[in-house]
Amino acid sequence: MRHFVIAGLLIIVVTFLTYFGLNAAHLMPVEASAQSLPIDWMWDLQVKAMSFLFALIAVPMFYSLVVFKRKKNDTTDAEHIEGNTRLEITWTIIPLFVVVLFAYLGAGNLADTIRDSPDAMIVKVKAFQWGWNFEYPDYGISTLELYLPVNKAIHLKMESSDVIHSFWVPEFRVKQDLVPGRVTELRITPTLSGNYKVRCAELCGTGHYKMEQPVVVVDKAKFDTWIAEQQVLAAQAAATPEGRGQKIYESYCIACHSINGSAGNGPTWRGLFGSQVELADGTTVTADDTYILDSIQNPTAKVVAGFQPMNFKYEAAGITVEQLNDILAYIKTLK
Ligand code: CUA
């Protein structure tokens, strides 16, 4: 009996030490969304359960090792135990009850994080190798950074144009895969203004590590100003071929072609126009209007040396023949 009391007290002490130790490690970033509250509540409950289970196993083990150590010169057998039905029933029923309880709490928790809000603002998220594009259908703009008004329900409708990606802003807690051929959804109500990052949480190729872009949460007034600015920029862009070309680039071409000189799945567009391009068959061509338009329309005909042929079908992607000239105009600006 004395051993049970001592071990019991030690279990309580170790439970608290483990729990406060884990809490002091600050395992979670700040809570920046309404959805993070139920998730963190559940997390905290699980850390408490884990701390207790750790103590429940570790304390009796080390206590036995120390207290019931074989005495010197004691060569007798230990007491033989046949089994204990009552104990076995107990340690089956209690964990079963705990697991069912956590499943019940988890289901309610999941319902809280995906609950629909009728006045939610829709943002369409498009993921590609390797980056994100955000479209605001209510305002007719698309951007490379996700701007969100604080305390406003957001409904993300997400699509991938190539492989599986995963939308994850740790401060919002929620995470959702983007699956090619499907529209997946995520609901976020940002509650804390600040600068965050969306990062891809699914290994999606060699550029996975750089698939992160800014997420900015601002108050309503700042958000409205930003929207107005973006609409002006969009209108200006739409007025010129190179502006329209840039928007097409950011929605489609950016997945494979950089504009900063680095190679992606395809060659960079920086300094492309007018340059001498070495092809896989050993010949060299000048990147003029004809070469660039031909290469968009028939990507596997003149493959650049060092790259795999990629058969991008611009019409299937929704780009018109007229828009090809806008893309060409944009490429010409990338010196
Ligand atoms: Cu997209 Cu990893």
Side-chain angles (χ1 to χ4, degrees), residues 252-263:
Y252 301 97
C253 325
I254 194 172
C256 296
H257 299 279
S258 83
I259 54 167
N260 64 7
S262 66

Side-chain angles (χ1 to χ4, degrees), residues 53-296:
L53 287 175
F54 171 76
L56 191 66
I57 294 163
V59 168
M61 188 174 78
F62 283 102
Y63 187 83
S64 306
L65 280 176
V66 174
V67 178
F68 304 119
K69 193 166 173 279
R70 183 174 67 89
K71 307 270 180 322
K72 218 176 176 186
N73 300 325
D74 179 5
T75 54
T76 56
D77 277 353
E79 191 191 338
H80 189 74
I81 298 169
E82 254 326 314
N84 188 328
T85 312
R86 228 195 301 165
L87 188 62
E88 284 177 29
I89 289 173
T90 311
W91 73 35
T92 304
I93 298 286
I94 293 177
L96 185 70
F97 173 74
V98 172
V99 168
V100 170
L101 176 69
F102 267 97
Y104 173 75
L105 294 173
N109 213 273
L110 184 64
D112 281 346
T113 58
I114 61 173
R115 184 162 298 126
D116 209 359
S117 174
D119 61 341
M121 178 176 87
I122 290 174
V123 181
K124 289 184 177 171
V125 180
K126 210 162 86 183
F128 49 84
Q129 285 173 316
W130 290 278
W132 308 90
N133 187 286
F134 308 103
E135 193 191 326
Y136 296 72
D138 296 348
Y139 303 101
I141 57 165
S142 70
T143 62
L144 296 177
E145 50 185 1
L146 181 60
Y147 251 75
L148 299 173
V150 74
N151 295 327
K152 166 92 181 157
I154 311 293
H155 183 173
L156 301 180
K157 294 190 171 181
M158 315 198 287
E159 280 178 273
S160 165
S161 53
D162 35 51
V163 299
I164 299 176
H165 302 276
S166 184
F167 181 99
W168 186 41
V169 179
E171 290 82 358
F172 294 159
R173 298 294 189 274
V174 286
K175 185 200 261 178
Q176 173 64 50
D177 276 7
L178 293 85
V179 185
R182 269 170 63 177
V183 179
T184 53
E185 299 175 306
L186 201 55
R187 288 176 172 82
I188 296 164
T189 307
T191 50
L192 188 66
S193 297
N195 291 288
Y196 312 106
K197 264 180 187 169
V198 53
R199 48 199 86 198
C200 178
E202 185 73 60
L203 185 60
C204 56
T206 52
H208 163 68
Y209 72 95
K210 63 179 174 186
M211 200 169 155
E212 53 177 38
Q213 267 159 245
V215 175
V216 185
V217 177
V218 290
D219 60 43
K220 178 84 173 74
K222 277 198 188 130
F223 179 76
D224 290 342
T225 313
W226 179 81
I227 285 286
E229 283 168 9
Q230 292 300 315
Q231 283 173 328
V232 170
L233 288 174
Q236 283 170 353
T240 65
E242 55 270 26
R244 292 193 295 270
Q246 182 177 358
K247 280 292 166 196
I248 300 166
Y249 168 79
E250 287 173 358
S251 294
Y252 301 97
C253 325
I254 194 172
C256 296
H257 299 279
S258 83
I259 54 167
N260 64 7
S262 66
N265 284 334
T268 184
W269 283 3
R270 184 175 173 189
L272 171 64
F273 188 76
S275 68
Q276 296 295 308
V277 178
E278 205 186 308
L279 301 181
D281 63 9
T283 58
T284 301
V285 293
T286 305
D288 54 11
D289 292 26
T290 316
Y291 164 77
I292 290 173
L293 290 176
D294 278 356
S295 292
I296 300 174

